[in-house]
Amino acid sequence: MLIPIKQVLSKDEVRQFRNHLDAATWQDGLHTAGTLASAVKRNLQLEDGVEPALSLGNHILRKLAANPAFISAALPDRIYPPKFNRYQDGGSYGAHVDSAVMQVPGMPISVRSDLSATLFLAEPEEYDGGELEIESAFGIQAVKLEAGDMVLYPSSSLHRVTPVTRGARIASFFWIQSMVGDAAARTLLFDLDQAIQGLTDTLGRDNRDLLKLTGIYHNLLRRWAMT
Ligand code: NI
């Protein structure tokens, strides 16, 4: 399932990010492509683990930790330190699947990629092309969101970024290891949580049946969560 998370960053935060990113030195993305991906990857990336990637990445992680929509959708266990990329001058990323296990650079920690995230840092009208195309059971879905918005999609899905023919597409991207590794179970929990939130608005949070449903949500999570 493809889940948009609106306004992870405010427009003001996006402006501050862009001040740093537009002044930064970008490297050829081939430095970091796995063997599977290197043949199809044509973009620029920011060096990991140093400024400004470090501070901007940590800012994103702090915002996500306080974002109920993200927590509900991802049920995050571990998050890979956010990376940053830039597509311009016809740059693209051909169809690929993300690696299943990502080693965190300089740390004895790995992240199983259950979910992939793209946080858009350029407005759609700043560039032509640059759609994130994700293959799903329902066909190809093209994603191009407002700056500050993020999309979550299954890391197992085949996806690509179409060539950017005008301007620059700037984004942050990273992977999430979920407490609930099974995508179908995670989707059920997300749907149940959304329904509970909707009913809370109409019935009030003291409604007895709603309390039972909330209990079922947590008991399923207790059954399925692996931390
Ligand atoms: Ni990818």
Side-chain angles (χ1 to χ4, degrees), residues 198-218:
L199 285 173
T200 303
D201 292 341
T202 48
L203 301 175
R205 59 178 64 252
D206 295 333
N207 181 278
R208 270 200 67 78
D209 291 326
L210 197 50
L211 289 173
K212 280 191 204 164
L213 275 179
T214 304
I216 291 169
Y217 173 86
H218 285 283

Side-chain angles (χ1 to χ4, degrees), residues 144-156:
K144 187 170 179 175
L145 301 179
E146 275 187 39
D149 293 354
M150 185 174 92
V151 63
L152 287 173
Y153 58 99
S155 301
S156 56

Side-chain angles (χ1 to χ4, degrees), residues 126-224:
E126 285 184 67
Y127 57 98
D128 289 335
E131 280 89 2
L132 172 63
E133 291 189 343
I134 302 161
E135 288 191 17
S136 75
F138 307 105
I140 292 175
Q141 293 181 279
V143 184
K144 187 170 179 175
L145 301 179
E146 275 187 39
D149 293 354
M150 185 174 92
V151 63
L152 287 173
Y153 58 99
S155 301
S156 56
S157 64
L158 204 58
H159 55 274
R160 63 194 284 258
V161 176
T162 63
V164 172
T165 53
R166 177 187 65 87
R169 175 200 195 267
I170 298 157
S172 176
F173 65 104
F174 47 93
W175 300 275
I176 298 129
Q177 175 175 319
S178 177
M179 289 188 286
V180 178
D182 181 61
R186 196 184 327 110
T187 300
L188 277 176
L189 286 169
F190 180 61
D191 289 345
L192 179 55
D193 190 45
Q194 295 294 105
I196 289 171
Q197 297 307 323
L199 285 173
T200 303
D201 292 341
T202 48
L203 301 175
R205 59 178 64 252
D206 295 333
N207 181 278
R208 270 200 67 78
D209 291 326
L210 197 50
L211 289 173
K212 280 191 204 164
L213 275 179
T214 304
I216 291 169
Y217 173 86
H218 285 283
N219 288 333
L220 285 172
L221 180 56
R222 190 171 286 113
R223 180 174 275 254
W224 292 335

Side-chain angles (χ1 to χ4, degrees), residues 36-37 93-102 113-118 132 153-160 173-175:
L36 278 176
Y93 201 158
H96 66 281
V97 172
D98 294 341
S99 300
V101 179
M102 308 279 185
S113 60
D114 294 321
L115 290 162
S116 298
T118 296
L132 172 63
Y153 58 99
S155 301
S156 56
S157 64
L158 204 58
H159 55 274
R160 63 194 284 258
F173 65 104
F174 47 93
W175 300 275

Side-chain angles (χ1 to χ4, degrees), residues 78-80 100-102 104 109-113 175-177:
R78 291 179 185 179
I79 304 178
Y80 193 94
V101 179
M102 308 279 185
V104 178
I109 294 173
S110 60
V111 174
R112 185 189 63 238
S113 60
W175 300 275
I176 298 129
Q177 175 175 319

